[in-house]
Amino acid sequence: MSIHTPDIKRVTTHVIQEMKTRGEKISCLTAYDYSMAGIVDAAGVELILVGDSASNVMAGHETTLPITIDQMIYHAASVVRAVKRALVVVDLPFGSYQGNSREALNSAIRIMKESGAHAVKLEGGLEIRDSITRILSAGVPVMGHLGLTPQSIYKFGTYTVRAKQEAEAQKLLEDARMLEEVGCFSVVLEKIPSSLTKQVSESIQIPTVGIGAGPHADGQILVLHDLLGINKEFKPRFLRRYADLNGVMTDAISNYIKDVKAKSFPNEKESY
Ligand code: KIV
């Protein structure tokens, strides 16, 4: 039996690049498990990120720092099993690439081999240039991530908008140019001023993907659980909720509890 589905044209890094070239926006979302990834892929997003936000969303940690490479591989492999079309990108978790480039390469190879994903994402600019080039030299596509980089939260001290000051904006622009120059296929811009996103997106040929970065990025990404309204507490200005799944799920579960208590579930037809 073939595992290929010839009727579905897979999204590759080249497809993402072509989309920028012809001015078509790129839709991206996170996913961390088989069931959700199948829905997200069938709905038609071009890129699925197995983000280290799994640390918050799936495991309830306050930050993205605790998630391990084994846990990322578990999430990524589950997503890959469901996805027929989208490009699947996986975050290298905190501590798996900053030490040295050999360690970074080993981490990227583990993720690619053990999950079947198509690319990796790393947070940072010039500081991790060696790690990025070494991973790229092994033929692994790399997505950059600049602006608010949650793995550095204890350095920033807050999740507020980044690069509002000229010096930080200039460094971000230089980092974005460097990521393009070494061969990254795309770069995430998180929580930066809209005008800076425009400047970066116009200065580099590779696609930018924004989150809290305004309308000028070449694509947009959101955390799936935020878009679906599963977590009621998280309400940043940049988030648009497309559903109230928290409400829908709570109602469904309450109705189930009522039916069990009232002995109306299961009924005759639902029994053997
Ligand atoms: O981990 C993640 O979900 C991310 C996105 C917010 C870009 O890095």
Side-chain angles (χ1 to χ4, degrees), residues 93-254:
F94 176 66
S96 71
Y97 61 94
Q98 294 93 342
N100 62 59
S101 64
R102 180 185 289 260
E103 193 185 358
L105 177 61
N106 288 342
S107 302
I109 286 178
R110 273 203 67 198
I111 293 212
M112 300 296 282
K113 256 188 195 295
E114 296 178 42
S115 76
H118 312 129
V120 296
K121 175 164 83 61
L122 283 71
E123 294 183 5
L126 203 56
E127 324 77 61
I128 56 157
R129 184 190 164 122
D130 289 350
S131 293
I132 294 174
T133 17
R134 190 128 186 204
I135 295 170
L136 285 164
S137 72
V140 177
V142 174
M143 187 176 205
H145 184 153
L146 301 173
L148 176 63
T149 45
Q151 291 179 9
S152 310
I153 185 58
Y154 291 118
K155 181 175 138 198
F156 299 142
T158 143
Y159 286 101
T160 191
V161 180
R162 305 302 313 170
K164 277 166 116 178
Q165 308 301 325
E166 184 52 34
E168 199 184 336
Q170 199 49 43
K171 155 111 173 67
L172 190 144
L173 193 53
E174 281 161 21
D175 281 342
R177 288 193 178 122
M178 179 280 291
L179 292 176
E180 171 176 50
E181 199 181 292
V182 297
C184 288
F185 76 90
S186 175
V187 54
V188 167
L189 301 175
E190 181 163 354
K191 254 192 156 178
I192 61 169
S194 190
S195 54
L196 180 58
T197 303
K198 185 167 190 290
Q199 200 185 351
V200 174
S201 304
E202 287 171 356
S203 311
I204 60 176
Q205 303 307 311
I206 57 170
T208 59
V209 172
I211 174 164
H216 304 293
D218 302 304
Q220 297 290 331
I221 186 160
L222 284 175
V223 168
L224 178 66
H225 291 61
D226 298 340
L227 167 151
L228 294 176
I230 291 179
N231 173 2
K232 284 206 296 202
E233 281 78 50
F234 187 61
K235 293 182 195 153
R237 168 175 165 165
F238 69 79
L239 174 62
R240 186 179 296 178
R241 286 217 177 95
Y242 287 84
D244 171 22
L245 279 207
N246 190 298
V248 171
M249 289 172 76
T250 306
D251 285 351
I253 295 162
S254 305

